[in-house]
Amino acid sequence: MKKLILQMQMSVDGFVGADEDHRWQLWEWGDDSAWDEELKQDFNAVFTTIDTILLSRKMAEEGYLNHWGRAARKYPRDRFYAFAQRIVEAEKVVASDKLQASRWERTRVVSGDLPREVNALKAGEGGNIAVFGGAGFAAALISAGLVDEFQLFINSAVLGSGRRIFDQGGFARLKFIGSKAYACGMVVNRYAPAG
């Protein structure tokens, strides 16, 4: 059975998005990255296990697929951007009751019934399923108990307020899988549901 892996960048105080316009992430998905080589390598290693990317309608419409498609074309030989090529090649699934059809290559639209659609994806053949947010979509997946692994990229920043992803689901225990600190200051913590 395939796993749904949620990857999110997060502040030390547990926010995935800032209320104010702060530059708080070591890499904000542009050309300028403060990630060290080991973090880049480990990030790409996760993508070798993934063959499906689950997106919210909002994330798809805000340009996620176009952005990484451009990055794959711009950096075809850069090892760090190997993940961008994997995003292009992977099956993309957009969960939405508002979209009727996909406007993007290798992308299909499924209903917004997350438990039904995610469980159908998990029952399929192949590699794992990745999801990267946004905050509301991640929170909905968490509260529905659909996430099999959390990969939380903790940036060395305290935001004080902002968007969270764990507010909707109530109390839950997680099983610690692993943690790794990187020279650039990032710490990646991995958890699975305890139940």
Side-chain angles (χ1 to χ4, degrees), residues 16 20 22 35 53 56 71 74-75 115-116 118 123 126 129 146 163 175-176 181:
V16 297
E20 312 261 334
H22 298 296
W35 285 19
I53 298 172
S56 67
K74 187 175 180 179
Y75 302 106
R116 183 181 73 215
V118 170
I129 308 155
L146 298 170
R163 290 179 299 285
K175 178 176 72 174
F176 178 71

Side-chain angles (χ1 to χ4, degrees), residues 118-137:
V118 170
N119 286 325
L121 287 172
K122 287 181 181 184
E125 297 290 319
N128 291 322
I129 308 155
V131 64
F132 308 103
F137 189 58

Side-chain angles (χ1 to χ4, degrees), residues 66-79:
N66 295 333
H67 175 79
W68 293 119
R70 281 191 304 275
R73 288 188 301 278
K74 187 175 180 179
Y75 302 106
R77 290 177 187 39
D78 188 326
R79 288 181 312 149

Side-chain angles (χ1 to χ4, degrees), residues 92-147:
K92 274 77 67 182
V93 177
V94 178
S96 173
D97 286 330
K98 294 182 179 177
L99 289 177
Q100 299 303 312
S102 172
R103 301 189 295 263
W104 308 279
E105 284 186 48
R106 291 185 201 82
T107 304
R108 63 187 170 100
V109 175
V110 297
S111 82
D113 182 340
L114 291 177
R116 183 181 73 215
E117 300 297 350
V118 170
N119 286 325
L121 287 172
K122 287 181 181 184
E125 297 290 319
N128 291 322
I129 308 155
V131 64
F132 308 103
F137 189 58
L141 292 166
I142 293 166
S143 68
L146 298 170
V147 177

Side-chain angles (χ1 to χ4, degrees), residues 28-180:
E28 302 222 7
W29 310 115
D31 292 340
D32 186 27
S33 170
W35 285 19
D36 61 69
E37 291 305 312
E38 188 176 15
L39 176 56
K40 291 175 181 179
Q41 181 180 337
D42 289 352
F43 180 71
N44 271 290
V46 172
F47 278 85
T48 65
T49 70
I50 291 168
D51 70 2
T52 306
I53 298 172
L54 178 63
L55 299 165
S56 67
R57 174 194 55 82
K58 187 175 176 183
M59 199 160 179
E61 288 182 332
E62 288 179 353
Y64 176 88
L65 298 173
N66 295 333
H67 175 79
W68 293 119
R70 281 191 304 275
R73 288 188 301 278
K74 187 175 180 179
Y75 302 106
R77 290 177 187 39
D78 188 326
R79 288 181 312 149
F80 174 41
Y81 283 94
F83 74 88
Q85 188 60 45
R86 290 288 298 150
I87 290 171
V88 170
E89 294 166 356
E91 175 188 17
K92 274 77 67 182
V93 177
V94 178
S96 173
D97 286 330
K98 294 182 179 177
L99 289 177
Q100 299 303 312
S102 172
R103 301 189 295 263
W104 308 279
E105 284 186 48
R106 291 185 201 82
T107 304
R108 63 187 170 100
V109 175
V110 297
S111 82
D113 182 340
L114 291 177
R116 183 181 73 215
E117 300 297 350
V118 170
N119 286 325
L121 287 172
K122 287 181 181 184
E125 297 290 319
N128 291 322
I129 308 155
V131 64
F132 308 103
F137 189 58
L141 292 166
I142 293 166
S143 68
L146 298 170
V147 177
D148 299 301
E149 183 176 331
F150 298 90
Q151 295 181 358
L152 306 176
F153 286 62
I154 311 301
N155 288 261
S156 298
V158 175
L159 298 179
S161 66
R163 290 179 299 285
R164 296 183 182 270
I165 58 173
F166 291 104
D167 290 351
Q168 294 178 20
F171 178 80
R173 290 201 182 275
L174 299 176
K175 178 176 72 174
F176 178 71
I177 298 173
S179 183
K180 188 169 182 180

